[in-house]
Amino acid sequence: MVEKKKVYDNILQLIGDTPLVRLSSITKKFSGDFFAKIESFNPGHSSKDRIALFIIEEAERKGILKPGDTIIETTSGNTGFSIAMVSIIKGYKCILAVSSKSSNDKIDMLKTMGAKVYVCPAHVPADDSRSYYEVAKRLHQENEGSVYINQYFNELNIEAHYKTTGPEIWNQTEGQLTHLIACSGTGGTISGTAKFLKEQNPNIRVIGIDAFGSVLKKFHETRAFDKDEIYPYRIEGLGKNLIPSATDFDIIDEFIKVTDEDSAHTARELARTEGLFLGYTSGAAMQGIKQLQEQGEFDENSKVVVIFPDHGSRYMSKIYSDDWMEAQGFFDSKREAESQPIEI
Ligand code: PMP
């Protein structure tokens, strides 16, 4: 084990080397052993710290970025936060083009982290000059020496996880894992981690978590883009309405779909049973494990690693708000009764 430093020079030195924690309560009736890679231990509270640091340092190595240059991305979520954090420490300007659907909380958080935020209209086609894709592209062209992270179509997204998340899991399990379960959004996490792990042991089963309303599972099965699969859903960060080149579909054995409602309840259950306060997609990944258990995927020899991507604090006004749950029609008063506060 790497000896922990007593003092770090800056927050970026704490990226990666996240803990692997055994799940015991929520998996009590399941076959096999279950271990969770808790990515909220990254200083930016998500796995996206890894790709932000890796892609920016690659650009530095190639001489593309020099102090004072600009880093651009289209995201209001975890990737934006991580890029802003890395930019502060390394002395870059950070510009984020976000959709007007983003909550004020998110925009305030990014501004707090020093990012310049362009809020672009949500309901315009992707090729409209006002869309956040087009705004990001234009800003990239206008800022010489800028780097456009473009996480859905950037091979370095896969490589970041191939070089860090994969080896960490292999070492933490001493090579004993039989299954890797991970959410797929850009696909960088699952593809890079799986690539490393399958190079060590090609028999490891790799299962991606997708959302109802996303094209990924169908594309994996048919290699055809079926736009009828696409409809709105609530889970943020998982599933997609396009095919990202940062997903290596050949390395993933299977996709499984989970619902918004089940994923929200399972995230709440993870908090109550394991003391793990995590994001919506962590609930989705755990929900996927429940469904796989029902399908007979595991036996007593299974050693299952699941990646939990981010922290629960970013979802207070969503899955951890009873009002929000109620408004979605998710709230089941019998199921939640025991956790209600008692007013005196
Ligand atoms: N969960 C959350 C909360 C995310 O923000 C993301 C990234 N979009 C993912 C899961 C999926 O990770 P990846 O993009 O590497 O597939």
Side-chain angles (χ1 to χ4, degrees):
M1 198 175 146
V2 186
E3 207 186 313
K4 286 251 187 252
K5 282 189 170 201
K6 288 210 173 69
V7 175
Y8 296 87
D9 295 330
N10 62 56
I11 198 76
L12 305 185
Q13 290 183 341
L14 283 149
I15 294 177
D17 279 327
T18 53
L20 194 68
V21 177
R22 182 188 286 275
L23 300 174
S24 44
S25 214
I26 200 165
T27 52
K28 206 158 50 201
K29 297 193 178 127
F30 296 2
S31 316
D33 293 314
F34 295 82
F35 304 92
K37 182 88 168 144
I38 315 284
E39 288 293 288
S40 54
F41 270 72
N42 282 299
H45 302 162
S46 90
S47 54
K48 293 296 177 181
D49 284 1
R50 297 176 186 269
I51 71 160
L53 183 64
F54 187 79
I55 295 173
I56 290 168
E57 291 196 335
E58 276 296 300
E60 287 173 340
R61 265 192 286 280
K62 289 179 188 146
I64 300 167
L65 271 177
K66 48 185 190 321
D69 278 349
T70 302
I71 301 168
I72 298 167
E73 182 59 318
T74 50
T75 166
S76 63
N78 288 325
T79 308
F81 187 92
S82 299
I83 295 169
M85 183 180 77
V86 175
S87 299
I88 291 166
I89 302 299
K90 289 180 168 284
Y92 300 118
K93 297 187 200 86
C94 171
I95 298 182
L96 302 170
V98 310
S99 146
S100 54
K101 268 198 319 196
S102 307
S103 70
N104 286 339
D105 276 1
K106 280 190 172 172
I107 293 168
D108 287 345
M109 187 168 77
L110 298 172
K111 277 168 35 196
T112 303
M113 295 301 286
K116 184 161 178 118
V117 183
Y118 286 76
V119 182
C120 309
H123 302 293
V124 295
D127 58 2
D128 187 294
S129 64
R130 296 161 299 164
S131 81
Y132 53 88
Y133 299 111
E134 288 301 315
V135 169
K137 266 198 252 165
R138 179 171 56 75
L139 290 165
H140 178 43
Q141 280 156 8
E142 285 171 7
N143 284 277
E144 207 186 316
S146 65
V147 165
Y148 179 20
I149 301 279
N150 203 6
Q151 59 172 336
Y152 283 91
F153 298 95
N154 191 334
E155 290 292 304
L156 296 176
N157 178 355
I158 296 185
E159 206 178 322
H161 292 286
Y162 176 80
K163 293 246 169 82
T164 68
T165 321
E168 287 172 30
I169 290 174
W170 184 254
N171 291 333
Q172 285 168 314
T173 57
E174 294 172 335
Q176 297 300 303
L177 76 161
T178 58
H179 293 75
L180 173 72
I181 316 287
C183 300
S184 203
T186 67
T189 306
I190 189 165
S191 306
T193 307
K195 184 168 174 231
F196 181 87
L197 293 173
K198 284 206 178 193
E199 278 174 9
Q200 318 311 308
N201 174 4
N203 296 325
I204 294 170
R205 285 262 298 155
V206 174
I207 300 170
I209 307 295
D210 190 20
F212 287 99
S214 151
V215 291
L216 299 178
K217 179 176 163 64
K218 185 82 172 275
F219 183 82
H220 181 254
E221 286 161 3
T222 62
R223 290 299 191 272
F225 182 85
D226 181 356
K227 65 176 176 16
D228 291 340
E229 288 286 298
I230 300 171
Y231 53 87
Y233 56 91
R234 297 177 187 84
I235 310 175
E236 295 162 58
L238 167 164
K240 206 57 204 167
N241 56 1
L242 50 77
I243 305 301
S245 67
T247 309
D248 180 351
F249 285 90
D250 293 333
I251 218 157
I252 300 164
D253 294 300
E254 189 186 328
F255 274 95
I256 179 164
K257 288 204 182 206
V258 292
T259 68
D260 289 333
E261 179 167 8
D262 287 339
S263 303
H265 282 294
T266 302
R268 291 164 77 108
E269 191 184 344
L270 271 172
R272 282 205 299 270
T273 56
E274 304 284 344
L276 290 171
F277 183 55
L278 303 172
Y280 204 166
T281 56
S282 300
M286 190 64 225
Q287 176 59 30
I289 290 183
K290 286 186 182 180
Q291 292 171 206
L292 289 163
Q293 163 69 25
E294 270 168 35
Q295 290 172 17
E297 175 68 37
F298 310 124
D299 62 31
E300 68 276 15
N301 298 317
S302 297
K303 296 221 176 317
V304 181
V305 171
V306 56
I307 300 179
F308 287 155
D310 73 350
H311 194 256
S313 54
R314 286 178 190 163
Y315 305 88
M316 280 314 296
S317 57
K318 295 206 167 163
I319 54 173
Y320 298 118
S321 152
D322 288 353
D323 290 342
W324 186 86
M325 291 290 279
E326 186 113 49
Q328 313 311 308
F330 292 173
F331 199 76
D332 172 345
S333 49
K334 264 195 225 120
R335 201 164 166 180
E336 307 296 329
E338 283 175 23
S339 67
Q340 290 308 302
I342 298 158
E343 285 189 36
I344 309 276

